Amino acid sequence: MPSKSAFKPGEFAVTWITRLFVWIVILLSLIPMLYVVTASFNPGQADFSASLIPPNASFSNYVDLFEKTNFGIWIRNSTMVALIVATAQVFLTGMGAYAFSRMKFFGRKYGLMTLILLQMFPGVLSVSVSGSFSLTLTSKRWSIPGISPVSLLFLGDPTILYTYYKL
């Protein structure tokens, strides 16, 4: 009995070219992470080293991180905020999903279509919109009491502060 090939003619080459391309993209995306790790082992303030392993590599930056800062408190606070936000999101999303799946109401069809449309676009696309919106809210001419540019920094990009103080 002749052996059956899983590939049709030409598919083998296309499959391996695709796999090679995927591995190249993975390796290219790991290069910035390698630079960060290399810089973390470089003592002093230099962010870049000509060699992969710095000649005077040490753990001094990590020692300073744990001894001179409140890193443990920062991690605990971030974890608490993440857990609270995730729990709230799951709860609110579940209530909304129940309403859309079990109840009949005016606007149900178009509400679902709007949600699907919004989910098609990644959140990164809203950064420029929220950034320009926060600049409008915090400009010296159109200032809204209680809204500071620092609080709106997380809605957009860091240029909010620069633009605010240069207006």
Side-chain angles (χ1 to χ4, degrees):
M1 178 191 309
S3 65
K4 282 186 154 181
S5 174
F7 294 104
K8 293 178 182 169
E11 282 185 355
F12 185 79
V14 170
T15 300
W16 279 102
I17 290 172
T18 304
R19 289 177 182 168
L20 180 66
F21 176 74
V22 168
W23 278 106
I24 289 171
V25 170
I26 289 171
L27 290 175
L28 288 176
S29 64
L30 291 176
I31 289 174
M33 294 172 66
L34 179 65
Y35 279 118
V36 170
V37 171
T38 302
S40 73
F41 287 112
N42 196 1
Q45 300 298 321
D47 290 335
F48 181 76
S49 177
S51 63
L52 183 61
I53 300 173
N56 50 359
S58 72
F59 287 98
S60 64
N61 289 330
Y62 292 102
V63 171
D64 291 345
L65 174 70
F66 290 108
E67 289 181 354
K68 295 182 180 178
T69 65
N70 297 326
F71 186 71
I73 295 172
W74 298 341
I75 292 295
R76 185 192 71 209
N77 290 346
S78 296
T79 304
M80 286 177 22
V81 168
L83 288 174
I84 291 169
V85 168
T87 304
Q89 283 181 340
V90 168
F91 179 72
L92 292 174
T93 303
M95 290 186 351
Y98 180 81
F100 274 111
S101 68
R102 298 290 183 187
M103 300 177 182
K104 305 286 186 202
F105 54 90
F106 177 75
R108 177 177 174 230
K109 177 182 176 184
Y110 294 111
L112 279 173
M113 291 297 176
T114 303
L115 287 174
I116 291 172
L117 181 67
L118 289 174
Q119 291 298 315
M120 287 173 51
F121 300 105
V124 174
L125 293 176
S126 67
V127 169
S128 62
V129 173
S130 61
S132 62
F133 175 69
S134 60
L135 277 176
T136 304
L137 290 178
T138 59
S139 69
K140 292 179 182 174
R141 191 177 338 145
W142 301 98
S143 180
I144 296 176
I147 297 180
S148 69
V150 176
S151 66
L152 291 172
L153 175 66
F154 299 104
L155 290 177
D157 55 10
T159 57
I160 292 171
L161 291 177
Y162 177 77
T163 307
Y164 177 77
Y165 290 109
K166 293 293 182 185
L167 290 177

